[in-house]
Amino acid sequence: MSGGETFFYPNFTAPRDVLKVTKEVERTLTRETGYQALMKVRCSNGLQVSSYHGNFLQHTFGADVELGSIDADKALSVMFSYDGKLDSKLDAHFQCALLYTTAGGERRVRCTNTVASVSENPAEIMRFIDQDAVVSVIAKEAATRMTERTLKDVRNALNEKTIDILAGHRRGSAAGSHPPGQLVLPENLKEFSMYILGLIKSRAFKAGHEPSDRRTHTMRLLKSASPLELGLLLYPRIVPLHSLPPESCFPSEETGHLTLPPSIRASFSRTEEGGAYLVDDGQSCLLWLHAHVSPNLLEDLFGPSCTTLSDLDPQLSSIPILETHLNAQVRNLLAYWESVRGSKALT
């Protein structure tokens, strides 16, 4: 039913976690799902499929990829090898064919066709590279290697791959215009090293003691997460609530879209004394309150009965509905984040 996706509730406490479990079970049972799926990827001459990465079954290499169920919350990565026969004057073509059964028993085929330009200029390729896709492919490949190599070897491979990509870009750019030893980052890969560092420090690959349940859950999550979900997991978004602009988290008069508030870098050095922050990694959302947080802020968020941290219920999993401006802002922001998440509920 879950298509290989696992749900993990560490230190489960019913008053705190029952809402999250309820929402995730409801999402799993009601989302559009295809069953008994077979997937085949084809490409132009000069390219060939070298590997698949994700949660699926493939009896032999070259056979169709089998999936017990597939839905919009899942992602697979496909890697291609190049045999030197591509013509830069012609486009490269890719097709993904997915055969599946709907919940109503209909057997359907969905084909996705993609056309890509071919270039011999490395600098031109770097200008159009998709950072989220690159990180997603590398993460899924590394998660697959966990069952074949030691964690130390996987971490070293991630470091070497990062060095190779950045060194290749430096060689392909105007190397003479940069001082020796200066780090030269592609415009579209400026956060690439940061994401790889987050990947190495994730529960799946980190060194030291880590419970096997957490490590296995994170490994399976990496293999099925979408690029958006993976990006949040490796580098959470942090929004300061104590300094929200008055117009943030409300629909814009010009566009009608929600005005998103500014975020800060995911570093403790960026936090302020007395601050309140929302931290979202795509799996869970935390409200972080400094020990000296303003009583007025607590009252605006939780009501007149909460003016100190000791007044708060540690098992609380939702923001109460109040008529204060800050309360409405936070609820609007949480509702928007929940609408763009995958299968993991926001509580």
Side-chain angles (χ1 to χ4, degrees), residues 125-267:
I125 295 173
M126 284 296 183
R127 282 200 300 269
F128 294 97
I129 198 168
D130 187 330
Q131 177 177 259
D132 292 338
V134 172
V135 173
S136 181
V137 170
I138 291 177
K140 286 176 169 51
E141 182 185 21
T144 302
R145 298 287 180 263
M146 282 184 63
T147 57
E148 306 169 0
R149 304 178 184 176
T150 64
L151 291 177
K152 183 177 180 180
D153 290 341
V154 174
R155 291 193 298 270
N156 289 338
L158 288 172
N159 281 323
E160 292 172 2
K161 190 179 292 288
T162 303
I163 293 171
D164 290 343
I165 291 174
L166 298 182
H169 170 69
R170 184 182 180 90
R171 289 193 299 270
S173 62
S177 61
H178 303 290
Q182 179 181 350
L183 183 62
V184 182
L185 296 175
E187 184 65 28
N188 290 342
L189 290 179
K190 286 191 172 181
E191 296 85 17
F192 176 67
S193 300
M194 176 191 69
Y195 280 121
I196 297 299
L197 180 61
L199 183 63
I200 292 174
K201 291 186 174 183
S202 68
R203 294 186 184 277
F205 305 116
K206 64 183 290 189
H209 175 72
E210 184 68 29
S212 58
D213 285 348
R214 289 183 181 271
R215 198 182 291 277
T216 303
H217 169 69
T218 306
M219 177 195 73
R220 297 190 63 80
L221 175 61
L222 292 175
K223 293 174 69 174
S224 66
S226 67
L228 173 61
E229 187 176 17
L230 180 61
L232 283 176
L233 179 67
L234 300 181
Y235 195 80
R237 51 189 169 195
I238 302 179
V239 174
L241 301 183
H242 57 279
S243 59
L244 281 180
E247 68 279 2
S248 292
C249 306
F250 289 105
S252 169
E253 295 181 357
E254 298 178 356
T255 64
H257 298 296
L258 192 74
T259 303
L260 296 179
S263 59
I264 63 172
R265 291 185 181 180
S267 171

Side-chain angles (χ1 to χ4, degrees), residues 9 17 27 44 124 134 136 158 187 197 208-209 215-216 286 294-295 299 326 333:
Y9 306 97
D17 298 324
R27 167 75 177 175
S44 300
E124 183 176 303
V134 172
S136 181
L158 288 172
E187 184 65 28
L197 180 61
H209 175 72
R215 198 182 291 277
T216 303
L286 304 178
S294 169
E299 187 174 342
L326 178 61
L333 180 60

